[in-house]
Amino acid sequence: MNDDDIRTGVLATLRRIAPEVEADELLGDRALRDQVDLDSMDWLNVIVGLHQRFGVDIPEADYAGLVSLDAIVAYLARRLAA
Amino acid sequence: MTDFRLPSLGADMDEGTLLEWRVAPGQAVKKGDIVAVVDTSKAAIDVEVWVDGTVRELLTKVGEKIPVGTVMARLLVPGEQVVEIPPAPVAPAVRVVRAAAPATLPLAAPAESGPAARRPVSPAARRRAVELGVPLTGLAGTGAGGAVTLADVEHADVERAALRSVAASVPPAVDRAVDRAAEMRKVIAAAMARSKREIPHYYLAEPVPMRAALGWLRAHNESQPVTQRLLPAVLLIKAVALALHEVPEMNGTFIDGGFRPSAAAHVGVAISLRRGGLIAPALHDVGDKPLPQLMAELGDLVQRARAGSLRSSELADPTVTVTNLGDQGVEAVHGVIYPPQVALVGFGRIGERAWVEAGRIVALPMVTASLAADHRVSDGHRGALFLARVRELLQRPQDL
């Protein structure tokens, strides 16, 4: 799975939680929660969705690094390669 | 035979449009079964039946807009059977309902008082009612002995005006989402205006150290798969429910001039909807449920609220509301009570603040818990006791 596939999967997960998300309006290097209205329940559902889609169990301690779309893609790429 | 009425769906939803019947005449139903789906300005609501029985006839047609309390269907209660008497030459057909035993029927909507029940109306209220054209029949009185007061009449007029403007603001074949948002704004405004008019609010706030609660949560979540993790909100809601058991003046409803305390804590959870507006459906019996179960139920409730699929009981019976606006980043909430409830508990953002502990300034995760409560029912002293209890409970998360 390359980075583009991962990005597509992350966006699909995000859209299930926040259907108003427009992929091309989202800035990959900016904080996700500044651009998308996500509360803590939404965020947990994003993490659960990523777990279901990619089979990666993301520990709570790693949440702090998952700030932007780019960071999430890079994180998943690293975990999937491991 | 018993009437099945459209149950109350909360203070800001007083009518609905029947979308679908889920039952047919002759079908047996059990208490809690979903019998119909009704659309309101906030969501499509699955309407539950409150008695066991058999559907006799459906009265409301799909697409019909009906106020709360409308008889939607008639049910036969267990043991009852209908005897059809063949039409006599002159008399019209008569149906005789025979009850096996005299039964007292719990109804979804409160039974109407006797036909001769006349409530007193103050002279000023009667005059104002004539001026405004507000019908006095069916008007709830909040004065002594259920008397209709001037304020009741003016209140009814404002609500009628709100309803009329809702009706007028819904032109056909325009974008429905926009209509719904506008309609929801109006019903929220009507309920909150009523709250501010009728409820003498008082407000308290208390800083709550969250080191113990978050530490416990972190340790718990580390050992759990992602689907079993708990959010801090669940601890907050559970602490509120347990504190309510000890300070019951915050838990219940104020109806017809009197406070009705509730033994169970059905906590309404304020959920913001993606298309705008909010809804506060209940988590039932929160004090009796373990945290993982509450977390699962909260997740389900949020998801269904956002998808617009809630049950009538979830909207009708919250006994208190909790709002967790801290998730959006604010420090504290000064809430507006959702009538007929008597308290709203707010939580701000959980974040590190300077705190003095044993004479030293330390950085601690803190949250500001706030209470808006009803002075008709309690005083600040009891409210303070309640918030102090919430704070204490959150220091022992393992016992929640």
Side-chain angles (χ1 to χ4, degrees):
Chain A
M1 198 180 288
N2 64 33
D3 281 10
D4 283 343
D5 297 334
I6 296 175
R7 186 175 296 265
T8 307
V10 172
L11 282 169
T13 303
L14 209 51
R15 255 196 307 274
R16 265 187 42 215
I17 314 295
E20 72 276 12
V21 167
E22 300 280 351
D24 38 343
E25 287 175 12
L26 214 54
L27 301 171
D29 56 352
R30 266 196 54 202
L32 206 52
R33 283 174 86 161
D34 289 347
Q35 304 178 75
V36 185
D37 182 11
L38 294 173
D39 63 19
S40 56
M41 180 66 79
D42 295 328
W43 178 246
L44 182 59
N45 285 331
V46 169
I47 300 290
V48 170
L50 294 176
H51 169 63
Q52 285 164 348
R53 186 177 291 267
F54 297 101
V56 173
D57 197 341
I58 304 171
E60 227 177 22
D62 291 354
Y63 289 5
L66 306 177
V67 177
S68 65
L69 183 60
D70 290 351
I72 295 172
V73 172
Y75 174 86
L76 288 171
R78 202 161 56 239
R79 290 286 308 273
L80 287 167
Chain B
M1 191 114 69
T2 183
D3 292 339
F4 173 73
R5 294 167 188 270
L6 180 61
S8 162
L9 302 171
D12 50 6
M13 279 178 270
D14 47 16
E15 59 181 1
T17 303
L18 179 65
L19 292 181
E20 180 188 346
W21 277 111
R22 289 279 177 84
V23 292
Q27 193 173 332
V29 292
K30 284 200 303 296
K31 178 177 188 286
D33 283 355
I34 292 160
V35 294
V37 183
V38 168
D39 199 27
T40 71
S41 57
K42 288 193 174 182
I45 311 296
D46 292 338
V47 181
E48 299 152 287
V49 65
W50 286 95
V51 291
D52 293 348
T54 305
V55 179
R56 171 70 188 157
E57 56 181 328
L58 304 177
L59 301 174
T60 304
K61 291 183 182 64
V62 170
E64 212 178 320
K65 194 172 209 171
I66 52 172
V68 161
T70 302
V71 178
M72 297 178 70
R74 291 190 211 286
L75 308 177
L76 295 174
V77 292
E80 203 180 37
Q81 38 181 302
V82 171
V83 182
E84 299 275 357
I85 296 180
V90 269
V94 187
R95 288 196 194 99
V96 178
V97 177
R98 218 168 261 161
T104 41
L105 305 175
L107 291 176
E112 284 154 85
S113 44
R118 272 197 57 195
R119 279 165 303 102
V121 180
S122 80
R126 193 177 297 280
R127 245 189 337 268
R128 191 77 179 126
V130 173
E131 282 169 29
L132 296 171
V134 172
L136 286 166
T137 43
L139 196 57
T142 59
V148 176
T149 64
L150 183 60
D152 294 333
V153 171
E154 289 182 336
H155 166 202
D157 183 57
V158 171
E159 291 203 334
R160 272 164 26 112
L163 279 178
R164 271 197 303 274
S165 56
V166 168
S169 76
V170 186
V174 188
D175 186 356
R176 267 204 91 210
V178 174
D179 290 344
R180 205 191 250 279
E183 198 174 332
M184 185 176 332
R185 184 54 44 210
K186 281 181 177 129
V187 294
I188 291 172
M192 294 300 101
R194 178 185 156 200
S195 172
K196 283 283 184 171
R197 196 166 48 237
E198 293 180 0
I199 304 177
H201 288 62
Y202 66 85
Y203 306 94
L204 305 173
E206 170 75 3
V208 178
M210 289 292 284
R211 181 166 54 191
L214 294 187
W216 180 89
L217 209 56
R218 200 175 304 117
H220 173 89
N221 286 348
E222 256 172 28
S223 64
Q224 299 291 327
V226 61
T227 48
Q228 303 293 317
R229 283 179 203 160
L230 303 178
L231 289 173
V234 177
L235 271 64
L236 301 176
I237 290 168
K238 181 74 184 279
V240 165
L242 293 178
L244 287 173
H245 290 319
E246 295 177 40
V247 189
E249 300 99 305
M250 309 295 148
N251 189 40
T253 50
F254 193 93
I255 294 172
D256 295 337
F259 175 54
R260 303 178 186 178
S262 169
H266 302 315
V267 179
V269 184
I271 298 168
S272 60
L273 302 176
R274 290 215 159 266
R275 57 176 186 271
L278 85 164
I279 198 161
L283 284 173
H284 291 130
D285 302 302
V286 171
D288 305 330
K289 289 177 179 166
L291 295 172
Q293 182 182 354
L294 283 175
M295 181 66 210
E297 290 185 11
L298 179 65
D300 176 56
L301 198 64
V302 170
Q303 201 175 11
R304 285 189 296 113
R306 296 233 168 107
S309 157
L310 290 164
R311 287 166 161 258
S312 52
S313 61
E314 290 166 338
L315 291 169
D317 67 8
T319 57
V320 68
T321 296
V322 170
T323 178
N324 190 15
L325 276 174
D327 239 15
Q328 262 69 35
V330 294
E331 171 144 2
V333 184
H334 309 281
V336 183
I337 299 169
Y338 187 80
Q341 294 163 35
V342 298
L344 180 136
V345 185
F347 290 101
R349 177 182 68 249
I350 302 175
E352 283 211 321
R353 321 250 160 92
W355 184 248
V356 178
E357 199 176 50
R360 292 179 48 214
I361 296 174
V362 291
L364 272 195
M366 303 285 297
V367 68
T368 301
S370 65
L371 171 74
D374 186 338
H375 244 314
R376 295 172 302 180
V377 181
S378 65
D379 292 317
H381 173 71
R382 295 294 287 170
L385 213 62
F386 168 78
L387 280 185
R389 201 63 200 115
V390 170
R391 186 196 59 221
E392 286 162 20
L393 286 159
L394 285 167
Q395 307 316 306
R396 290 182 285 104
Q398 66 281 5
D399 298 338
L400 286 174

